[in-house]
Amino acid sequence: MIISVLCLVSAPAARRVLTYSDTNFQGVLGDRGQGSRFDSALAKEFPGLTFWMGVYGGVNRTLGIRYIPDQEVGVTKLEDGQLSYGIDRLGDGRLDGYVANTVALKEKLEARGVPLIYVQVPFKTGMEGGLERGAADYSDSNCDRLISGLTAGGVEVLDLRREMDGRMSADEMFFRTDHHWRPEAALMAAGILGGRLHNDFGLCYDEAAFDPGTYDTETYRNYYLGALGKKTGATYAGTDDFTLLTPQNSPDFRVTWRRDGKTFSRRGKFGEALVDRSIISRGDLYHRVSYDAYMNGRGAIATVVNEDSGSRGSILLVGDSYSWCMVPFLAMNYGRVTAVDMRDFTDVSLWEYLEKNSFDCVVIAYNPASLEGRNFSFFSRK
C-alpha cells in the first residue's frame, strides 16, 4: 500500500525527468562539457528533486525493477549493479562512410609523413542481444565492424577493449551510475596508447608519466551521481566515489581552450592548469558534474603545452569525453597535446585545421556511443 502511494506521488515528476526532450543523444547524457541541458532542466523544474528522485529510485529498487524506459536512453541495471544502456545497430552504409572518411584522412596525412591511429575506447559491453527487457545492445558489434573496415583500409587500430580486458573490473573501470570510465581507467588507457605510439611511430614514452604510483589520489566518497544515476535516482543504484589524480612531481603547463565561442587559458602545475576543482563540488548531487573537472570542463578544442618537456613531440587527439579525460595524463608525456571534439568544432573543418597546424601523430578515439556522422566529418565544416 505504501509503495503504491509513493509510486503515484512520485511518478509525475519522475516521468517528466525521464522523458526530458533533447534531440542530442550525448547531450542527454551530459557528454558535452559542464553537464547537459538535462541537468539544467532539472534545476529549473524540480526544486524538490532530491526527495522525489529518492522516492522514485527507492521504489524501483524495492520492486526489483531492472529496466527503466525512457524516450531517448532507457537505463538497465546489470547483474553487477552497474547502470548501462543499449546502443542500436549501425547500418552498413553509415559505417562504410565513417571508414571511407577515416581512410581518406589517413592517406592525406600519410602523404605529409604524419601517422594516424584509431583507438577504440571500451564501454559497458558484454550484454549484447538484450538488456533485460530493454533494447538490444550492438556496441561491440558496431565497433568490430568499424575496426574490420578500418583495418582493411590500412588504418592502424588500437582496441582498448582487448588491451584493458582483465586488467580492471567493471567497478574499477567505470562509474556505476555513469557511462564514463573512471580517471584511473583513463590513466591506464593513456599509458597503453603512449606505449603503442612509441613502439609503432617512435614517439617519446616516459613510463613514469603513466605509472599510478607516481600520482596522489584524492577520493571524494559517495560524491558523484552520473548521468544514468540522475535518471534513476540515487537510491536506485547508489552513488559513486570520485577520485582526483594529481602527479607527485608535476611540470608546468600552459593550456588554452575554446568553449561556446570564448577562449580561456591557464598556467601552472597539473592541479592548477588541467583541473578545475570548483567543478568537482559545484551544485548538489543531481546537478554536480565532477567528471568534467578534468580539462576544465572541456570544449571544442584545447591545447596543453608541457613547458618542462623539451622536444617530446606533439599529438592531436580527436575524440569525445572519454578521450578528453586522457589528455592531462598524455600531457605528462608529450610536449604538446591538442584535443578536438568534432561535435563543437565548427569554425573550420578538421582537415583545414591540420593544413595549418603540424603534429607528429593524429589519434582518433571514440567510445561506441560516439560513432555518429559528425564525429567522422573530417573534411566539412559543421
Side-chain angles (χ1 to χ4, degrees):
M1 178 65 179
I2 295 176
I3 290 178
S4 298
V5 171
L6 290 176
C7 282
L8 288 172
V9 172
S10 62
R15 181 176 298 279
R16 291 184 67 192
V17 170
L18 290 174
T19 59
Y20 173 67
S21 178
D22 187 325
T23 56
N24 184 307
F25 176 73
Q26 293 285 11
V28 172
L29 291 179
D31 197 25
R32 302 300 295 277
Q34 299 202 91
S36 66
R37 283 175 283 172
F38 174 75
D39 298 321
S40 300
L42 296 183
K44 292 178 181 177
E45 296 187 32
F46 303 106
L49 177 68
T50 300
F51 172 76
W52 290 116
M53 287 304 295
V55 171
Y56 181 71
V59 168
N60 283 322
R61 185 193 64 210
T62 301
L63 294 177
I65 303 299
R66 296 286 299 280
Y67 178 75
I68 298 179
D70 176 53
Q71 69 182 34
E72 272 129 2
V73 183
V75 180
T76 292
K77 181 185 286 187
L78 305 178
E79 292 289 345
D80 59 5
Q82 288 272 342
L83 299 184
S84 192
Y85 59 92
I87 293 177
D88 293 337
R89 185 183 188 279
L90 293 176
D92 292 337
R94 290 179 62 184
L95 278 180
D96 289 346
Y98 303 165
V99 169
N101 282 355
T102 307
V103 170
L105 181 62
K106 186 266 297 187
E107 292 174 346
K108 283 181 172 291
L109 288 170
E110 202 169 57
R112 300 173 61 182
V114 179
L116 178 145
I117 185 169
Y118 176 80
V119 178
Q120 185 56 66
V121 176
F123 200 59
K124 294 182 180 180
T125 53
M127 55 276 190
E128 187 168 326
L131 294 173
E132 300 299 322
R133 292 186 295 276
D137 175 57
Y138 292 95
S139 52
D140 266 344
S141 173
N142 291 339
C143 294
D144 290 343
R145 290 158 55 220
L146 175 67
I147 288 174
S148 176
L150 292 175
T151 302
V155 176
E156 292 289 330
V157 172
L158 171 61
D159 191 347
L160 288 175
R161 297 175 303 166
R162 313 301 180 221
E163 294 290 336
M164 299 178 73
D165 184 36
R167 298 175 65 174
M168 279 186 164
S169 67
D171 280 337
E172 290 171 327
M173 185 176 294
F174 297 104
F175 292 107
R176 186 189 312 112
T177 64
D178 202 12
H179 55 300
H180 288 117
W181 57 10
R182 294 178 179 274
E184 297 90 336
L187 173 59
M188 177 183 289
I192 295 171
L193 173 60
R196 178 69 177 271
L197 298 185
H198 172 70
N199 293 334
D200 287 9
F201 309 129
L203 271 68
C204 169
Y205 178 73
D206 179 1
E207 187 175 351
F210 307 113
D211 181 358
T214 65
Y215 286 79
D216 289 328
T217 301
E218 217 176 309
T219 303
Y220 296 75
R221 299 288 181 191
N222 297 315
Y223 202 75
Y224 184 57
L225 185 66
L228 301 176
K230 288 182 173 72
K231 283 175 166 286
T232 56
T235 53
Y236 181 64
T239 54
D240 284 292
D241 293 342
F242 181 80
T243 52
L244 178 60
L245 305 178
T246 54
Q248 295 160 4
N249 296 297
S250 171
D252 291 314
F253 292 103
R254 183 176 75 253
V255 56
T256 59
W257 72 98
R258 284 184 60 78
R259 181 171 58 237
D260 299 329
K262 300 178 181 178
T263 300
F264 306 86
S265 63
R266 282 187 175 183
R267 299 186 77 153
K269 302 296 184 182
F270 187 103
E272 301 161 344
L274 304 181
V275 176
D276 187 339
R277 288 176 176 268
S278 69
I279 295 177
I280 297 177
S281 56
R282 182 184 301 158
D284 62 24
L285 192 60
Y286 282 88
H287 308 110
R288 190 181 299 143
V289 196
S290 304
Y291 182 81
D292 283 349
Y294 288 93
M295 286 306 295
N296 305 304
R298 305 196 307 275
I301 183 170
T303 295
V304 182
V305 176
N306 184 329
E307 297 187 314
D308 296 353
S309 70
S311 55
R312 287 193 175 185
S314 60
I315 64 171
L316 173 67
L317 177 61
V318 181
D320 51 28
S321 55
Y322 283 66
S323 310
W324 280 61
C325 194
M326 289 195 293
V327 173
F329 308 119
L330 291 169
M332 289 288 294
N333 185 70
Y334 300 107
R336 175 167 55 97
V337 179
T338 294
V340 167
D341 188 326
M342 293 292 292
R343 295 164 297 185
D344 298 312
F345 190 70
T346 58
D347 293 340
V348 297
S349 72
L350 183 69
W351 179 246
E352 288 173 323
Y353 178 78
L354 281 166
E355 285 185 308
K356 298 177 181 178
N357 297 273
S358 61
F359 297 91
D360 294 317
C361 183
V362 173
V363 179
I364 301 171
Y366 288 131
N367 83 83
S370 292
L371 303 185
E372 52 179 284
R374 59 189 166 174
N375 287 337
F376 291 87
S377 299
F378 307 127
F379 302 101
S380 61
R381 299 186 184 187
K382 307 298 184 296

